[in-house]
Amino acid sequence: MKKGLFISIEGPDGSGKSTQIAALKEYFEQKGMDVVLTREPGGTAISEKIREIILDKNNQEMDDMTEALLYAAARAQHVAQIIKPALMAGRTVICDRFIDSSIAYQGYGRQLGDCVRIINEYAVRGCMPDITFLLKMDPKIGKSRIRDEEQDRLELEKLEFHQRVYEGYVEMEKAFNRIVGIDAARSIQEISADIIAQIEAVLQEDGRNRNDL
Ligand SMILES: Nc1ncnc2c1ncn2[C@@H]1O[C@H](COP(=O)(O)OP(=O)(O)OP(=O)(O)O)[C@@H](O)[C@H]1O
Ligand SMILES: [Mg+2]
């Protein structure tokens, strides 16, 4: 059974995910909690190799379904090798993108639909985040924060693609209580204070549940 807290951070490219994760790491460390930071696609040697194939700007001929399956394959390895063992050991895991990125980018962006969710249910085998923060920001603004030469194969997709991705995220936020929308068009400090307040509530709730056992 899972023991540690599993947090994922989602949002458009350049919405501030990595920035907020760095702030969260500091928060957990100050509390003396053991925290593992990891990212998708990646997080293990095998997944990082898959990541290189997926994001390589030269792989223009990649079929959309190949892309979706590669993401799911990287995730299966990541869950089995890093996330599940860390949670079982009672550690807090913060993951930069997880299953919702696949549903948003491949399901909505590439318009592959619900099969993306199904493939990924096999990949994660029940290992789902306790809470997911969706950094909400117009994808145009996020994109403008990343220099052109730094953009990978997906980031270089046209704006319509990124708009579909964003609409997918917003639909998922409405459908799942696990996903908490955060206004990401604020200062770094305001956003992290907001995220930390939500985590404090989850931790308190968690403590109550444990005492009830
Ligand atoms: N709240 C904020 N206000 C202004 N600039 C910000 C804010 N948060 C992050 N930034 C800046 O925006 C840029 C992108 O931030 P960051 O790398 O954290 O985004 P990301 O979501 O991780 O991007 P990617 O999807 O490319 O990994 C960085 O230069 C960062 O310093
Ligand atoms: Mg990042």
Side-chain angles (χ1 to χ4, degrees):
M1 212 186 77
K2 200 174 81 165
K3 287 188 260 168
L5 185 69
F6 183 13
I7 300 167
S8 64
I9 313 281
E10 296 280 354
D13 304 318
S15 56
K17 298 179 294 298
S18 302
T19 305
Q20 291 304 321
I21 286 171
L24 269 185
K25 177 177 191 273
E26 219 167 280
Y27 161 78
F28 280 110
E29 283 177 353
Q30 272 172 8
K31 278 179 88 82
M33 287 173 73
D34 190 7
V35 59
V36 176
L37 302 189
T38 188
R39 68 165 184 179
E40 291 217 336
T44 72
I46 292 171
S47 311
E48 291 289 344
K49 282 187 189 163
I50 301 174
R51 177 190 178 97
E52 274 174 40
I53 299 171
I54 299 172
L55 299 180
D56 188 340
K57 282 179 233 180
N58 297 317
N59 285 339
Q60 289 301 329
E61 75 276 28
M62 189 180 292
D63 179 71
D64 292 346
M65 188 58 79
T66 307
E67 179 182 289
L69 289 165
L70 283 173
Y71 271 111
R75 180 163 304 121
Q77 186 65 30
H78 188 208
V79 167
Q81 196 181 335
I82 305 284
I83 300 177
K84 225 173 214 170
L87 294 172
M88 298 288 280
R91 306 175 81 190
T92 298
V93 174
I94 305 175
C95 193
D96 191 335
R97 297 193 176 282
F98 196 60
I99 187 167
D100 306 306
S101 280
S102 281
I103 298 174
Y105 282 76
Q106 281 69 47
Y108 288 84
R110 301 287 191 216
Q111 298 176 302
L112 290 175
D114 201 42
C115 71
V116 177
R117 178 186 59 78
I118 296 164
I119 295 163
N120 278 281
E121 280 178 2
Y122 287 105
V124 306
R125 283 156 290 176
C127 186
M128 286 293 284
D130 297 293
I131 189 162
T132 297
F133 294 103
L134 170 60
L135 298 184
K136 296 178 79 173
M137 157 164 291
D138 181 339
K140 250 190 293 193
I141 299 174
K143 197 169 159 54
S144 71
R145 287 176 170 177
I146 310 167
R147 284 209 303 268
D148 283 353
E149 60 275 22
E150 282 175 3
Q151 300 200 10
D152 61 42
R153 193 173 60 84
L154 269 89
E155 285 168 339
L156 285 168
E157 272 294 329
K158 51 191 187 305
L159 194 61
E160 296 99 270
F161 170 82
H162 291 285
Q163 296 287 8
R164 284 198 299 273
V165 169
Y166 191 62
E167 282 159 24
Y169 269 136
V170 172
E171 271 189 40
M172 285 191 277
E173 178 202 358
K174 286 189 200 136
F176 303 110
N177 285 335
R178 165 179 64 82
I179 304 180
V180 177
I182 300 284
D183 172 9
R186 293 177 292 166
S187 74
I188 293 173
Q189 291 74 15
E190 278 175 298
I191 299 165
S192 68
D194 198 355
I195 292 177
I196 287 167
Q198 304 266 359
I199 289 177
E200 300 251 312
V202 171
L203 289 175
Q204 230 175 17
E205 177 109 341
D206 200 40
R208 252 205 309 277
N209 289 342
R210 274 164 207 239
N211 293 337
D212 289 345
L213 291 176

